[in-house]
């Protein structure tokens, strides 16, 4: 049974993230979308809210699970019986950062492979940060997030104004 972890902040999940989840679900028996609080970032959504949004967006993917994790990614991956960590790559700068992460994670646990998946060109300019910025400035972000969560994101931004 092949299990992969797709980790991230997902604040909130974007159309680009969802595309990676869908494609990963075709390659692995189980994909665990794994949500963590990145201490370098101040999130808009709580972890519970982010998990709920991901569950909504992935409801039709029967082999997709959504979980929260703390601590080291490789420890969580091993505990879940995963052999791979999936990272989406949009740009060269993503690669430079992710290459370092992959090497560090390999050093921490040689059994966990990092697999890079190239983001679909349609989504290469999307990030959770730009979704939040466009939404808070009243722009149209309907193509940038899964349709199932659009209203939740809009309302959250509206409340925060
Ligand atoms: O969506 P993000 O914020 O870019 O995701 C970053 C994430 C969660 C993948 C990264 O911060 C991470 O793996 N954190 C877990 C802590 C850890 O294992 N750190 C050592 C990796 S070198």
């Amino acid at each position: 049974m092949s299990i992969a972890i797709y980790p991230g902040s997902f604040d909130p999940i974007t159309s680009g993230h969802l595309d990676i989840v869908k494609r990963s679900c075709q390659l692995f028996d189980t994909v665990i979308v794994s949500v963590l609080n990145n201490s370098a970032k101040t999130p808009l959504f709580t972890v519970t809210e982010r998990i709920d949004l991901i569950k909504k967006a992935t409801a039709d993917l029967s082999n997709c699970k959504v979980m929260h994790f703390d601590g080291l990614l490789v420890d969580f991956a091993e505990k879940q019986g995963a052999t791979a960590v999936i990272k989406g790559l949009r740009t060269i700068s993503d690669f430079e950062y992710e290459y370092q992460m992959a090497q560090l994670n390999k050093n921490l646990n040689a059994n966990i492979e990092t697999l890079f998946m190239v983001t679909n060109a349609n989504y290469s300019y999307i990030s959770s940060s730009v979704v939040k910025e466009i939404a808070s400035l009243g722009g149209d972000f309907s193509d940038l997030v899964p349709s199932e969560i659009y209203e939740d994101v809009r309302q959250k931004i509206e409340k925060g104004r």
Side-chain angles (χ1 to χ4, degrees):
M1 165 114 163
S2 60
I3 303 174
I5 303 287
Y6 178 42
S9 302
F10 303 109
D11 185 43
I13 185 168
T14 67
S15 303
H17 291 136
L18 183 60
D19 179 56
I20 300 278
V21 176
K22 285 182 179 167
R23 287 158 61 197
S24 302
C25 281
Q26 289 174 355
L27 297 174
F28 290 89
D29 294 321
T30 303
V31 173
I32 308 175
V33 182
S34 308
V35 183
L36 132 153
N37 257 339
N38 184 339
S39 54
K41 298 177 180 173
T42 309
L44 173 66
F45 294 91
T46 66
V47 166
T48 310
E49 287 171 333
R50 284 180 261 159
I51 287 177
D52 287 346
L53 293 177
I54 299 167
K55 282 186 175 166
K56 254 188 174 182
T58 59
D60 59 339
L61 298 170
S62 57
N63 59 336
C64 175
K65 287 209 265 181
V66 190
M67 292 178 77
H68 166 243
F69 80 103
D70 279 319
L72 285 176
L73 173 62
V74 289
D75 291 348
F76 175 74
E78 187 160 271
K79 210 167 150 204
Q80 297 306 319
T83 47
V85 167
I86 308 215
K87 294 294 188 89
L89 289 183
R90 291 164 301 187
T91 56
I92 297 288
S93 57
D94 273 356
F95 175 73
E96 281 176 5
Y97 175 73
E98 293 299 347
Y99 178 80
Q100 185 188 12
M101 291 298 122
Q103 297 291 6
L104 287 165
N105 283 331
K106 191 74 173 171
N107 222 33
L108 290 166
N109 187 333
N111 296 322
I112 309 289
E113 290 293 345
T114 299
L115 301 182
F116 293 128
M117 192 173 279
V118 175
T119 300
N120 187 314
N122 297 343
Y123 304 125
S124 62
Y125 56 91
I126 303 177
S127 66
S128 298
S129 307
V130 302
V131 166
K132 286 177 280 189
E133 178 157 352
I134 292 173
S136 67
L137 296 172
D140 178 6
F141 64 99
S142 52
D143 285 348
L144 311 187
V145 296
S147 54
E148 298 83 356
I149 71 157
Y150 174 80
E151 202 45 40
D152 299 276
V153 176
R154 202 191 58 73
Q155 282 178 19
K156 178 81 174 181
I157 299 271
E158 192 67 32
K159 262 194 216 158
R161 271 182 173 169

Coordinates of all heavy atoms in Angstrom, one line a residue, residues 63-132:
N63 N -9.5 8.4 -1.9 CA -8.2 8.0 -1.3 C -7.4 9.2 -0.7 O -6.2 9.1 -0.5 CB -7.3 7.2 -2.3 CG -7.0 8.0 -3.5 OD1 -7.7 8.9 -3.9 ND2 -5.9 7.6 -4.2
C64 N -8.1 10.3 -0.5 CA -7.4 11.5 0.1 C -7.9 11.6 1.6 O -9.1 11.6 1.9 CB -7.8 12.7 -0.7 SG -7.2 14.2 0.0
K65 N -6.9 11.7 2.4 CA -7.2 12.0 3.9 C -6.6 13.4 4.2 O -5.6 13.8 3.6 CB -6.4 11.0 4.7 CG -7.0 9.6 4.7 CD -6.8 8.9 6.0 CE -5.6 8.0 6.0 NZ -5.4 7.3 7.3
V66 N -7.1 14.0 5.2 CA -6.6 15.3 5.7 C -6.3 15.2 7.1 O -7.1 14.7 7.9 CB -7.7 16.4 5.4 CG1 -7.0 17.8 5.7 CG2 -8.3 16.3 4.0
M67 N -5.1 15.6 7.5 CA -4.6 15.5 8.9 C -3.8 16.7 9.3 O -3.3 17.5 8.4 CB -3.8 14.3 9.1 CG -4.5 13.0 9.0 SD -3.4 11.5 9.2 CE -3.2 11.5 10.9
H68 N -3.7 16.9 10.6 CA -2.9 18.0 11.1 C -1.6 17.3 11.6 O -1.6 16.2 12.1 CB -3.6 18.7 12.3 CG -2.7 19.5 13.1 ND1 -2.5 19.3 14.4 CD2 -2.0 20.6 12.8 CE1 -1.7 20.2 14.9 NE2 -1.4 21.0 13.9
F69 N -0.5 18.0 11.5 CA 0.7 17.5 12.2 C 1.6 18.6 12.8 O 1.5 19.8 12.4 CB 1.6 16.7 11.2 CG 2.5 17.4 10.3 CD1 3.8 17.6 10.5 CD2 1.9 18.1 9.1 CE1 4.7 18.3 9.6 CE2 2.8 18.8 8.3 CZ 4.1 18.9 8.5
D70 N 2.3 18.2 13.8 CA 3.3 19.1 14.5 C 4.6 18.4 14.4 O 4.7 17.2 14.2 CB 2.9 19.2 16.0 CG 1.8 20.2 16.2 OD1 1.8 21.3 15.6 OD2 0.9 19.9 17.1
G71 N 5.7 19.1 14.7 CA 7.0 18.5 14.7 C 7.6 18.3 13.3 O 7.1 18.9 12.4
L72 N 8.5 17.3 13.3 CA 9.2 17.1 12.0 C 8.3 16.4 11.0 O 7.6 15.4 11.3 CB 10.5 16.3 12.2 CG 11.6 17.0 12.8 CD1 12.8 16.0 13.1 CD2 12.1 18.2 12.0
L73 N 8.4 16.9 9.7 CA 7.6 16.3 8.7 C 8.0 14.8 8.5 O 7.1 13.9 8.3 CB 7.9 17.1 7.4 CG 7.3 16.5 6.1 CD1 5.8 16.4 6.1 CD2 7.8 17.4 4.9
V74 N 9.3 14.5 8.5 CA 9.7 13.1 8.2 C 9.2 12.2 9.4 O 8.9 11.0 9.1 CB 11.2 12.9 8.0 CG1 11.6 13.5 6.7 CG2 12.0 13.5 9.2
D75 N 9.1 12.7 10.6 CA 8.6 11.8 11.7 C 7.1 11.5 11.5 O 6.7 10.4 11.7 CB 8.8 12.5 13.0 CG 10.3 12.7 13.4 OD1 11.1 12.0 12.8 OD2 10.6 13.4 14.4
F76 N 6.4 12.6 11.1 CA 5.0 12.4 10.8 C 4.8 11.4 9.7 O 4.0 10.4 9.7 CB 4.3 13.7 10.5 CG 2.9 13.6 10.1 CD1 1.9 13.3 11.1 CD2 2.5 13.7 8.8 CE1 0.6 13.2 10.7 CE2 1.2 13.6 8.4 CZ 0.2 13.4 9.3
A77 N 5.6 11.6 8.6 CA 5.5 10.7 7.4 C 5.7 9.2 7.8 O 5.0 8.3 7.5 CB 6.5 11.1 6.4
E78 N 6.8 9.0 8.6 CA 7.1 7.6 9.0 C 6.0 7.0 9.9 O 5.6 5.9 9.7 CB 8.4 7.6 9.8 CG 8.9 6.2 10.1 CD 10.4 6.1 10.4 OE1 11.2 6.0 9.5 OE2 10.7 6.3 11.6
K79 N 5.5 7.8 10.8 CA 4.4 7.4 11.7 C 3.2 7.0 10.9 O 2.4 6.0 11.2 CB 4.0 8.5 12.6 CG 3.5 8.0 14.0 CD 3.5 9.1 15.0 CE 2.4 8.9 16.0 NZ 1.9 10.0 16.6
Q80 N 2.9 7.6 9.8 CA 1.8 7.3 8.9 C 2.0 6.2 8.0 O 1.2 5.8 7.2 CB 1.3 8.6 8.1 CG 0.9 9.8 9.0 CD -0.2 9.4 10.0 OE1 -1.2 8.7 9.6 NE2 -0.1 9.8 11.2
G81 N 3.3 5.7 7.9 CA 3.6 4.6 7.0 C 3.8 5.1 5.6 O 3.7 4.3 4.6
A82 N 4.1 6.4 5.4 CA 4.3 7.0 4.1 C 5.7 6.8 3.6 O 6.6 6.7 4.5 CB 4.0 8.5 4.1
T83 N 5.9 6.6 2.3 CA 7.2 6.5 1.8 C 7.6 7.7 1.0 O 8.8 7.9 0.6 CB 7.3 5.3 0.8 OG1 6.2 5.4 0.0 CG2 7.3 4.0 1.6
A84 N 6.7 8.6 0.7 CA 7.0 9.8 -0.1 C 6.3 11.1 0.4 O 5.2 11.0 1.0 CB 6.5 9.6 -1.5
V85 N 7.0 12.2 0.2 CA 6.5 13.5 0.5 C 6.4 14.2 -0.9 O 7.4 14.2 -1.6 CB 7.4 14.3 1.4 CG1 7.0 15.8 1.5 CG2 7.4 13.7 2.8
I86 N 5.2 14.7 -1.2 CA 5.0 15.4 -2.5 C 5.1 16.9 -2.3 O 4.5 17.5 -1.3 CB 3.6 15.1 -3.0 CG1 3.5 13.6 -3.0 CG2 3.4 15.8 -4.3 CD1 2.8 12.9 -4.0
K87 N 5.9 17.6 -3.2 CA 6.0 19.0 -3.2 C 5.7 19.5 -4.6 O 6.2 19.0 -5.6 CB 7.4 19.4 -2.8 CG 7.8 19.1 -1.3 CD 7.0 19.9 -0.3 CE 7.5 19.7 1.1 NZ 8.5 20.7 1.5
G88 N 4.8 20.5 -4.6 CA 4.5 21.1 -5.9 C 5.6 22.2 -6.3 O 6.0 23.0 -5.4
L89 N 6.0 22.3 -7.5 CA 7.0 23.3 -7.9 C 6.3 24.2 -8.9 O 5.9 23.8 -10.0 CB 8.2 22.6 -8.6 CG 9.1 21.9 -7.7 CD1 10.3 21.4 -8.5 CD2 9.6 22.7 -6.5
R90 N 6.3 25.5 -8.6 CA 5.8 26.5 -9.6 C 6.9 27.2 -10.3 O 6.8 27.5 -11.5 CB 5.0 27.6 -8.8 CG 3.7 27.1 -8.2 CD 3.2 28.1 -7.2 NE 4.1 28.3 -6.1 CZ 3.9 29.0 -5.0 NH1 2.7 29.6 -4.9 NH2 4.8 29.1 -4.1
T91 N 8.0 27.5 -9.6 CA 9.1 28.4 -10.1 C 10.4 27.8 -9.7 O 10.5 26.9 -8.9 CB 8.9 29.8 -9.5 OG1 9.0 29.6 -8.1 CG2 7.7 30.5 -9.9
I92 N 11.5 28.5 -10.3 CA 12.8 28.1 -10.0 C 13.1 28.4 -8.5 O 13.8 27.7 -7.8 CB 13.8 28.9 -10.8 CG1 13.7 28.5 -12.3 CG2 15.3 28.6 -10.4 CD1 14.1 27.1 -12.7
S93 N 12.5 29.5 -8.0 CA 12.7 29.9 -6.6 C 12.1 28.9 -5.7 O 12.6 28.5 -4.6 CB 12.3 31.3 -6.3 OG 10.9 31.4 -6.6
D94 N 10.9 28.3 -6.1 CA 10.3 27.2 -5.3 C 11.3 26.1 -5.3 O 11.6 25.5 -4.2 CB 9.1 26.6 -6.0 CG 7.8 27.4 -5.7 OD1 7.9 28.3 -4.8 OD2 6.8 27.0 -6.2
F95 N 12.0 25.8 -6.4 CA 12.9 24.6 -6.5 C 14.1 24.8 -5.5 O 14.5 23.9 -4.8 CB 13.4 24.4 -7.9 CG 14.4 23.3 -7.9 CD1 14.0 22.0 -7.8 CD2 15.7 23.6 -8.1 CE1 15.0 21.0 -7.8 CE2 16.7 22.6 -8.1 CZ 16.3 21.3 -7.9
E96 N 14.6 26.0 -5.5 CA 15.8 26.3 -4.7 C 15.5 26.0 -3.2 O 16.2 25.4 -2.5 CB 16.3 27.7 -4.9 CG 17.1 27.9 -6.2 CD 17.5 29.3 -6.5 OE1 17.3 30.2 -5.7 OE2 18.1 29.5 -7.6
Y97 N 14.4 26.5 -2.8 CA 13.9 26.3 -1.4 C 13.6 24.8 -1.1 O 14.1 24.2 -0.2 CB 12.7 27.2 -1.1 CG 12.1 27.0 0.2 CD1 12.8 27.5 1.4 CD2 10.9 26.3 0.4 CE1 12.2 27.3 2.6 CE2 10.4 26.1 1.7 CZ 11.0 26.6 2.8 OH 10.5 26.4 4.0
E98 N 12.9 24.2 -2.0 CA 12.4 22.8 -1.8 C 13.6 21.9 -2.0 O 13.6 20.8 -1.3 CB 11.3 22.5 -2.8 CG 10.0 23.2 -2.6 CD 9.4 23.0 -1.2 OE1 9.8 22.0 -0.5 OE2 8.5 23.7 -0.9
Y99 N 14.6 22.2 -2.8 CA 15.8 21.3 -2.9 C 16.5 21.3 -1.5 O 16.9 20.2 -1.1 CB 16.7 21.9 -4.0 CG 17.9 21.1 -4.2 CD1 17.9 19.9 -4.9 CD2 19.2 21.5 -3.6 CE1 19.1 19.2 -5.1 CE2 20.3 20.8 -3.8 CZ 20.3 19.6 -4.5 OH 21.4 18.9 -4.7
Q100 N 16.6 22.4 -0.9 CA 17.3 22.4 0.4 C 16.4 21.6 1.4 O 17.0 20.8 2.2 CB 17.4 23.9 0.9 CG 18.2 24.0 2.2 CD 18.1 25.4 2.8 OE1 17.3 26.3 2.3 NE2 18.9 25.7 3.7
M101 N 15.1 21.8 1.4 CA 14.2 21.0 2.3 C 14.4 19.5 2.1 O 14.4 18.7 3.0 CB 12.8 21.4 2.1 CG 12.4 22.8 2.5 SD 12.6 23.0 4.3 CE 13.7 24.4 4.3
A102 N 14.4 19.2 0.8 CA 14.5 17.7 0.4 C 15.8 17.1 0.9 O 15.8 16.0 1.5 CB 14.4 17.6 -1.1
Q103 N 16.9 17.9 0.8 CA 18.2 17.4 1.3 C 18.2 17.2 2.8 O 18.7 16.2 3.3 CB 19.3 18.3 0.9 CG 19.5 18.4 -0.6 CD 20.1 17.2 -1.3 OE1 20.2 16.1 -0.6 NE2 20.4 17.2 -2.5
L104 N 17.6 18.3 3.5 CA 17.5 18.2 4.9 C 16.7 17.0 5.4 O 17.1 16.3 6.3 CB 17.0 19.5 5.5 CG 17.9 20.7 5.4 CD1 17.1 22.0 5.6 CD2 19.0 20.6 6.4
N105 N 15.6 16.9 4.7 CA 14.7 15.8 5.1 C 15.3 14.4 4.9 O 15.1 13.5 5.6 CB 13.3 15.9 4.4 CG 12.4 17.0 5.0 OD1 12.5 17.3 6.2 ND2 11.6 17.6 4.3
K106 N 16.0 14.3 3.8 CA 16.7 13.1 3.4 C 17.8 12.7 4.5 O 17.9 11.6 4.9 CB 17.4 13.2 2.1 CG 17.9 12.0 1.5 CD 16.7 11.2 1.0 CE 17.1 10.0 0.2 NZ 15.9 9.2 0.0
N107 N 18.4 13.8 5.0 CA 19.4 13.6 6.0 C 18.8 13.1 7.3 O 19.4 12.4 8.1 CB 20.1 15.0 6.2 CG 21.6 14.8 6.4 OD1 22.2 13.9 5.8 ND2 22.1 15.7 7.2
L108 N 17.6 13.6 7.6 CA 16.9 13.3 8.8 C 16.3 11.9 8.8 O 16.2 11.2 9.7 CB 15.7 14.3 9.1 CG 16.1 15.7 9.5 CD1 14.9 16.6 9.4 CD2 16.6 15.7 10.9
N109 N 15.8 11.5 7.6 CA 15.2 10.1 7.4 C 15.4 9.7 5.9 O 14.6 10.2 5.1 CB 13.8 10.1 7.8 CG 13.2 8.7 7.8 OD1 13.6 7.9 7.1 ND2 12.2 8.5 8.7
A110 N 16.3 8.8 5.7 CA 16.7 8.4 4.3 C 15.6 7.6 3.7 O 15.6 7.3 2.5 CB 18.0 7.7 4.3
N111 N 14.6 7.1 4.5 CA 13.5 6.2 4.0 C 12.4 7.0 3.3 O 11.6 6.5 2.6 CB 12.9 5.4 5.1 CG 13.9 4.4 5.7 OD1 14.7 3.9 5.0 ND2 13.9 4.3 7.0
I112 N 12.4 8.3 3.6 CA 11.3 9.1 3.0 C 11.8 9.9 1.8 O 12.7 10.7 1.9 CB 10.8 10.2 4.0 CG1 10.5 9.5 5.4 CG2 9.6 11.0 3.5 CD1 9.2 8.6 5.4
E113 N 11.2 9.6 0.6 CA 11.6 10.3 -0.6 C 10.7 11.6 -0.8 O 9.5 11.5 -0.6 CB 11.3 9.4 -1.8 CG 12.2 8.2 -1.9 CD 13.6 8.5 -2.2 OE1 13.9 9.6 -2.6 OE2 14.5 7.6 -2.1
T114 N 11.4 12.6 -1.3 CA 10.7 13.8 -1.7 C 10.4 13.7 -3.2 O 11.4 13.5 -4.0 CB 11.5 15.1 -1.4 OG1 11.7 15.2 0.0 CG2 10.7 16.3 -1.8
L115 N 9.2 13.8 -3.6 CA 8.9 13.8 -5.0 C 8.3 15.2 -5.4 O 7.4 15.7 -4.8 CB 7.8 12.8 -5.3 CG 8.1 11.3 -5.0 CD1 7.0 10.4 -5.4 CD2 9.4 10.9 -5.7
F116 N 8.9 15.8 -6.5 CA 8.5 17.1 -7.0 C 7.5 16.9 -8.1 O 7.8 16.1 -9.1 CB 9.7 17.9 -7.5 CG 10.6 18.3 -6.4 CD1 12.0 18.0 -6.5 CD2 10.2 18.9 -5.2 CE1 12.9 18.4 -5.5 CE2 11.0 19.3 -4.2 CZ 12.4 19.0 -4.4
M117 N 6.4 17.6 -8.0 CA 5.4 17.6 -9.1 C 5.3 19.0 -9.7 O 5.1 19.9 -8.9 CB 4.0 17.1 -8.5 CG 3.1 16.8 -9.6 SD 1.6 16.0 -8.9 CE 2.1 14.3 -8.8
V118 N 5.4 19.1 -11.0 CA 5.4 20.4 -11.6 C 4.0 20.9 -11.7 O 3.1 20.2 -12.1 CB 6.0 20.4 -13.0 CG1 5.9 21.7 -13.7 CG2 7.5 20.0 -12.9
T119 N 3.7 22.1 -11.2 CA 2.4 22.7 -11.2 C 1.9 22.9 -12.6 O 2.7 23.3 -13.4 CB 2.5 24.1 -10.4 OG1 2.9 23.8 -9.1 CG2 1.1 24.7 -10.4
N120 N 0.7 22.6 -12.8 CA 0.0 22.9 -14.1 C 0.2 24.4 -14.4 O 0.0 25.2 -13.5 CB -1.5 22.6 -13.9 CG -2.2 22.7 -15.2 OD1 -2.1 23.6 -15.9 ND2 -3.1 21.7 -15.4
A121 N 0.6 24.7 -15.6 CA 0.9 26.1 -16.0 C -0.2 27.1 -15.7 O 0.0 28.2 -15.3 CB 1.2 26.2 -17.5
N122 N -1.5 26.6 -15.7 CA -2.6 27.5 -15.4 C -2.6 28.0 -14.0 O -3.2 28.9 -13.6 CB -3.9 26.7 -15.5 CG -4.2 26.2 -16.9 OD1 -3.6 26.7 -17.9 ND2 -5.1 25.3 -17.1
Y123 N -1.9 27.2 -13.1 CA -1.9 27.5 -11.7 C -0.6 28.0 -11.2 O -0.4 28.2 -10.0 CB -2.3 26.3 -10.9 CG -3.6 25.7 -11.3 CD1 -3.7 24.3 -11.7 CD2 -4.8 26.4 -11.3 CE1 -4.9 23.8 -12.0 CE2 -6.0 25.9 -11.7 CZ -6.1 24.6 -12.0 OH -7.3 24.0 -12.4
S124 N 0.4 28.3 -12.1 CA 1.8 28.5 -11.7 C 1.9 29.8 -10.9 O 2.9 30.1 -10.2 CB 2.7 28.4 -12.9 OG 2.4 29.4 -13.8
Y125 N 0.9 30.7 -11.1 CA 1.1 32.1 -10.5 C 0.2 32.2 -9.2 O 0.2 33.2 -8.6 CB 0.6 33.1 -11.5 CG -0.8 32.9 -12.0 CD1 -1.9 33.4 -11.3 CD2 -1.0 32.0 -13.1 CE1 -3.2 33.2 -11.7 CE2 -2.3 31.7 -13.5 CZ -3.4 32.3 -12.8 OH -4.7 32.0 -13.2
I126 N -0.4 31.1 -8.8 CA -1.3 31.1 -7.6 C -0.6 30.7 -6.3 O 0.2 29.8 -6.3 CB -2.5 30.2 -7.8 CG1 -3.2 30.5 -9.1 CG2 -3.4 30.2 -6.6 CD1 -4.4 29.5 -9.4
S127 N -0.8 31.5 -5.3 CA -0.4 31.1 -3.9 C -1.5 31.5 -3.0 O -2.3 32.3 -3.3 CB 0.9 31.8 -3.6 OG 0.7 33.2 -3.4
S128 N -1.4 30.9 -1.8 CA -2.4 31.3 -0.7 C -2.3 32.8 -0.4 O -3.3 33.4 -0.2 CB -2.2 30.5 0.5 OG -2.3 29.1 0.3
S129 N -1.1 33.3 -0.5 CA -0.9 34.7 -0.2 C -1.6 35.6 -1.2 O -2.3 36.6 -0.8 CB 0.6 35.1 -0.1 OG 1.2 34.3 0.7
V130 N -1.5 35.3 -2.5 CA -2.2 36.2 -3.5 C -3.7 36.0 -3.4 O -4.4 37.0 -3.6 CB -1.6 36.0 -4.9 CG1 -0.2 36.3 -5.0 CG2 -2.0 34.7 -5.5
V131 N -4.1 34.8 -3.1 CA -5.6 34.7 -2.9 C -6.1 35.6 -1.8 O -7.1 36.3 -2.0 CB -5.9 33.2 -2.5 CG1 -7.4 33.1 -2.0 CG2 -5.7 32.2 -3.7
K132 N -5.4 35.6 -0.7 CA -5.8 36.5 0.4 C -5.7 38.0 0.1 O -6.6 38.8 0.4 CB -5.0 36.2 1.7 CG -5.3 34.9 2.3 CD -4.5 34.5 3.5 CE -3.1 34.0 3.1 NZ -2.3 33.4 4.2

